[in-house]
Amino acid sequence: MPGGRLTQQERRRIAQGLADGLAYAEIARDLDRPTSTVTREVMRNGGPTAYHADLAQRATERRGRRRRKAEPGGRSSGPGARDDAALAEYEEKFTAIFVQQGLPTMTARVLTCLFTAESGSLTAAELVDRLRVSPASVSKAVTFLEGQGLLRRERDEGRRDRYFVDDDVWYQSVIASARGTAELAETARQGVDLVGRGSVAATRLENVARFSDFISESILRAAEQVRDVLHTKPPAVPDEPPREERGKRDRD
């Protein structure tokens, strides 16, 4: 199975496969690539209905230039330094996951930026600079995220809007999902009498309701049990001593 980055020819084959209505797994088999590679490629470049091979190729080249320009050698200096190239790759993967879960691409990119920002918050201007997009694109994305309860905004000393992702954002998102599943259960159950209790359709609806009830209750219970995890810091990992010191300690 080949490794490395996708070529422009492979991207064109992906675009043709999508146009032919093929599943990601089928396209991946044709390319002899992992299905996850094709999925991330499509999701980070507009999704299955808006994917264009040439645009995806140019976007990848731009990302590569930005990484090389960020820092010679690709790594910042100092304690807790970040590998800029690796971080950019990770952010693309994180964004693709959000897109798979239903977020628009730009909205997913903004959310990823907020999660990985060292400061814990960003202004609209900082998001525009980091993402290399228009202020209008950022404004639309943050408005959507704020409406979904996925971020909050505050005014800083300079009277600028600053956007935050709260520790509770996952909890609130999971609770909203569980409530939506519970609503599905209730709606399915309402149809049992309408289609005729005892009929095949009624059995199908009742099974949907029972399944959805179980999932909703399990999610709510689990979310409450682990909520405190969001407010605790992971245990500190002791620094690894220099190799020379380890060798001396072992000899002693």
Side-chain angles (χ1 to χ4, degrees), residues 214-229:
F214 180 82
I215 293 297
S216 177
E217 291 169 7
S218 298
I219 290 173
L220 287 170
R221 186 163 52 249
E224 290 296 341
Q225 288 173 346
V226 302
R227 187 179 186 183
D228 288 345
V229 171

PDB file of all heavy atoms in Angstrom, residues 214-229:
ATOM      1  N   PHE A 214     -32.666   3.985  24.998  1.00  0.00           N
ATOM      2  CA  PHE A 214     -31.516   3.386  25.667  1.00  0.00           C
ATOM      3  C   PHE A 214     -30.251   4.208  25.420  1.00  0.00           C
ATOM      4  O   PHE A 214     -29.475   4.484  26.351  1.00  0.00           O
ATOM      5  CB  PHE A 214     -31.320   1.952  25.173  1.00  0.00           C
ATOM      6  CG  PHE A 214     -30.156   1.251  25.811  1.00  0.00           C
ATOM      7  CD1 PHE A 214     -30.282   0.655  27.054  1.00  0.00           C
ATOM      8  CD2 PHE A 214     -28.929   1.199  25.173  1.00  0.00           C
ATOM      9  CE1 PHE A 214     -29.201   0.018  27.654  1.00  0.00           C
ATOM     10  CE2 PHE A 214     -27.851   0.569  25.761  1.00  0.00           C
ATOM     11  CZ  PHE A 214     -27.982  -0.033  27.008  1.00  0.00           C
ATOM     12  N   ILE A 215     -30.039   4.614  24.160  1.00  0.00           N
ATOM     13  CA  ILE A 215     -28.853   5.395  23.809  1.00  0.00           C
ATOM     14  C   ILE A 215     -28.860   6.734  24.541  1.00  0.00           C
ATOM     15  O   ILE A 215     -27.857   7.167  25.129  1.00  0.00           O
ATOM     16  CB  ILE A 215     -28.766   5.628  22.294  1.00  0.00           C
ATOM     17  CG1 ILE A 215     -28.519   4.299  21.561  1.00  0.00           C
ATOM     18  CG2 ILE A 215     -27.676   6.639  21.947  1.00  0.00           C
ATOM     19  CD1 ILE A 215     -27.199   3.642  21.904  1.00  0.00           C
ATOM     20  N   SER A 216     -30.012   7.421  24.532  1.00  0.00           N
ATOM     21  CA  SER A 216     -30.114   8.731  25.175  1.00  0.00           C
ATOM     22  C   SER A 216     -29.829   8.641  26.669  1.00  0.00           C
ATOM     23  O   SER A 216     -29.056   9.426  27.231  1.00  0.00           O
ATOM     24  CB  SER A 216     -31.511   9.314  24.941  1.00  0.00           C
ATOM     25  OG  SER A 216     -31.656  10.538  25.617  1.00  0.00           O
ATOM     26  N   GLU A 217     -30.450   7.664  27.337  1.00  0.00           N
ATOM     27  CA  GLU A 217     -30.247   7.511  28.783  1.00  0.00           C
ATOM     28  C   GLU A 217     -28.799   7.150  29.110  1.00  0.00           C
ATOM     29  O   GLU A 217     -28.228   7.638  30.091  1.00  0.00           O
ATOM     30  CB  GLU A 217     -31.202   6.446  29.314  1.00  0.00           C
ATOM     31  CG  GLU A 217     -32.671   6.868  29.282  1.00  0.00           C
ATOM     32  CD  GLU A 217     -33.614   5.715  29.569  1.00  0.00           C
ATOM     33  OE1 GLU A 217     -33.109   4.619  29.920  1.00  0.00           O
ATOM     34  OE2 GLU A 217     -34.832   5.898  29.434  1.00  0.00           O
ATOM     35  N   SER A 218     -28.188   6.313  28.280  1.00  0.00           N
ATOM     36  CA  SER A 218     -26.800   5.907  28.526  1.00  0.00           C
ATOM     37  C   SER A 218     -25.853   7.100  28.370  1.00  0.00           C
ATOM     38  O   SER A 218     -24.919   7.277  29.157  1.00  0.00           O
ATOM     39  CB  SER A 218     -26.397   4.789  27.557  1.00  0.00           C
ATOM     40  OG  SER A 218     -27.201   3.644  27.745  1.00  0.00           O
ATOM     41  N   ILE A 219     -26.098   7.907  27.341  1.00  0.00           N
ATOM     42  CA  ILE A 219     -25.246   9.077  27.105  1.00  0.00           C
ATOM     43  C   ILE A 219     -25.366  10.066  28.259  1.00  0.00           C
ATOM     44  O   ILE A 219     -24.363  10.585  28.766  1.00  0.00           O
ATOM     45  CB  ILE A 219     -25.612   9.752  25.771  1.00  0.00           C
ATOM     46  CG1 ILE A 219     -25.198   8.860  24.595  1.00  0.00           C
ATOM     47  CG2 ILE A 219     -24.945  11.123  25.644  1.00  0.00           C
ATOM     48  CD1 ILE A 219     -25.659   9.370  23.249  1.00  0.00           C
ATOM     49  N   LEU A 220     -26.592  10.345  28.692  1.00  0.00           N
ATOM     50  CA  LEU A 220     -26.805  11.291  29.791  1.00  0.00           C
ATOM     51  C   LEU A 220     -26.126  10.808  31.067  1.00  0.00           C
ATOM     52  O   LEU A 220     -25.481  11.582  31.782  1.00  0.00           O
ATOM     53  CB  LEU A 220     -28.302  11.489  30.024  1.00  0.00           C
ATOM     54  CG  LEU A 220     -29.047  12.316  28.972  1.00  0.00           C
ATOM     55  CD1 LEU A 220     -30.548  12.233  29.188  1.00  0.00           C
ATOM     56  CD2 LEU A 220     -28.593  13.774  29.016  1.00  0.00           C
ATOM     57  N   ARG A 221     -26.262   9.516  31.358  1.00  0.00           N
ATOM     58  CA  ARG A 221     -25.673   8.962  32.573  1.00  0.00           C
ATOM     59  C   ARG A 221     -24.150   9.042  32.509  1.00  0.00           C
ATOM     60  O   ARG A 221     -23.494   9.436  33.479  1.00  0.00           O
ATOM     61  CB  ARG A 221     -26.140   7.517  32.757  1.00  0.00           C
ATOM     62  CG  ARG A 221     -25.698   6.882  34.064  1.00  0.00           C
ATOM     63  CD  ARG A 221     -26.516   5.632  34.370  1.00  0.00           C
ATOM     64  NE  ARG A 221     -26.536   4.710  33.260  1.00  0.00           N
ATOM     65  CZ  ARG A 221     -27.617   4.435  32.519  1.00  0.00           C
ATOM     66  NH1 ARG A 221     -28.769   5.035  32.768  1.00  0.00           N
ATOM     67  NH2 ARG A 221     -27.558   3.572  31.521  1.00  0.00           N
ATOM     68  N   ALA A 222     -23.581   8.683  31.358  1.00  0.00           N
ATOM     69  CA  ALA A 222     -22.123   8.712  31.208  1.00  0.00           C
ATOM     70  C   ALA A 222     -21.590  10.140  31.278  1.00  0.00           C
ATOM     71  O   ALA A 222     -20.546  10.395  31.892  1.00  0.00           O
ATOM     72  CB  ALA A 222     -21.728   8.065  29.879  1.00  0.00           C
ATOM     73  N   ALA A 223     -22.301  11.086  30.653  1.00  0.00           N
ATOM     74  CA  ALA A 223     -21.858  12.477  30.657  1.00  0.00           C
ATOM     75  C   ALA A 223     -21.803  13.034  32.073  1.00  0.00           C
ATOM     76  O   ALA A 223     -20.864  13.748  32.441  1.00  0.00           O
ATOM     77  CB  ALA A 223     -22.778  13.323  29.785  1.00  0.00           C
ATOM     78  N   GLU A 224     -22.800  12.714  32.876  1.00  0.00           N
ATOM     79  CA  GLU A 224     -22.811  13.195  34.254  1.00  0.00           C
ATOM     80  C   GLU A 224     -21.687  12.563  35.073  1.00  0.00           C
ATOM     81  O   GLU A 224     -21.066  13.204  35.917  1.00  0.00           O
ATOM     82  CB  GLU A 224     -24.163  12.897  34.908  1.00  0.00           C
ATOM     83  CG  GLU A 224     -25.316  13.717  34.363  1.00  0.00           C
ATOM     84  CD  GLU A 224     -25.161  15.204  34.629  1.00  0.00           C
ATOM     85  OE1 GLU A 224     -24.373  15.579  35.521  1.00  0.00           O
ATOM     86  OE2 GLU A 224     -25.820  16.005  33.943  1.00  0.00           O
ATOM     87  N   GLN A 225     -21.418  11.281  34.801  1.00  0.00           N
ATOM     88  CA  GLN A 225     -20.399  10.566  35.574  1.00  0.00           C
ATOM     89  C   GLN A 225     -18.990  11.109  35.309  1.00  0.00           C
ATOM     90  O   GLN A 225     -18.162  11.126  36.222  1.00  0.00           O
ATOM     91  CB  GLN A 225     -20.456   9.075  35.250  1.00  0.00           C
ATOM     92  CG  GLN A 225     -21.682   8.367  35.826  1.00  0.00           C
ATOM     93  CD  GLN A 225     -21.796   6.935  35.345  1.00  0.00           C
ATOM     94  OE1 GLN A 225     -21.128   6.533  34.389  1.00  0.00           O
ATOM     95  NE2 GLN A 225     -22.632   6.150  35.994  1.00  0.00           N
ATOM     96  N   VAL A 226     -18.728  11.515  34.078  1.00  0.00           N
ATOM     97  CA  VAL A 226     -17.350  11.922  33.737  1.00  0.00           C
ATOM     98  C   VAL A 226     -17.199  13.430  33.568  1.00  0.00           C
ATOM     99  O   VAL A 226     -16.154  13.905  33.149  1.00  0.00           O
ATOM    100  CB  VAL A 226     -16.873  11.223  32.436  1.00  0.00           C
ATOM    101  CG1 VAL A 226     -16.931   9.729  32.588  1.00  0.00           C
ATOM    102  CG2 VAL A 226     -17.697  11.672  31.225  1.00  0.00           C
ATOM    103  N   ARG A 227     -18.217  14.191  33.937  1.00  0.00           N
ATOM    104  CA  ARG A 227     -18.141  15.646  33.732  1.00  0.00           C
ATOM    105  C   ARG A 227     -16.942  16.260  34.441  1.00  0.00           C
ATOM    106  O   ARG A 227     -16.309  17.189  33.931  1.00  0.00           O
ATOM    107  CB  ARG A 227     -19.430  16.298  34.222  1.00  0.00           C
ATOM    108  CG  ARG A 227     -19.517  17.786  33.894  1.00  0.00           C
ATOM    109  CD  ARG A 227     -20.825  18.380  34.370  1.00  0.00           C
ATOM    110  NE  ARG A 227     -20.973  19.744  33.931  1.00  0.00           N
ATOM    111  CZ  ARG A 227     -21.997  20.536  34.246  1.00  0.00           C
ATOM    112  NH1 ARG A 227     -22.976  20.049  35.004  1.00  0.00           N
ATOM    113  NH2 ARG A 227     -22.062  21.778  33.830  1.00  0.00           N
ATOM    114  N   ASP A 228     -16.605  15.736  35.615  1.00  0.00           N
ATOM    115  CA  ASP A 228     -15.494  16.301  36.371  1.00  0.00           C
ATOM    116  C   ASP A 228     -14.166  16.174  35.636  1.00  0.00           C
ATOM    117  O   ASP A 228     -13.224  16.941  35.901  1.00  0.00           O
ATOM    118  CB  ASP A 228     -15.377  15.629  37.738  1.00  0.00           C
ATOM    119  CG  ASP A 228     -16.504  16.048  38.678  1.00  0.00           C
ATOM    120  OD1 ASP A 228     -17.173  17.055  38.359  1.00  0.00           O
ATOM    121  OD2 ASP A 228     -16.712  15.373  39.695  1.00  0.00           O
ATOM    122  N   VAL A 229     -14.084  15.225  34.704  1.00  0.00           N
ATOM    123  CA  VAL A 229     -12.840  15.059  33.952  1.00  0.00           C
ATOM    124  C   VAL A 229     -12.494  16.335  33.200  1.00  0.00           C
ATOM    125  O   VAL A 229     -11.318  16.685  33.025  1.00  0.00           O
ATOM    126  CB  VAL A 229     -12.972  13.870  32.972  1.00  0.00           C
ATOM    127  CG1 VAL A 229     -11.782  13.815  32.021  1.00  0.00           C
ATOM    128  CG2 VAL A 229     -13.083  12.565  33.741  1.00  0.00           C
TER     129      VAL A 229
END
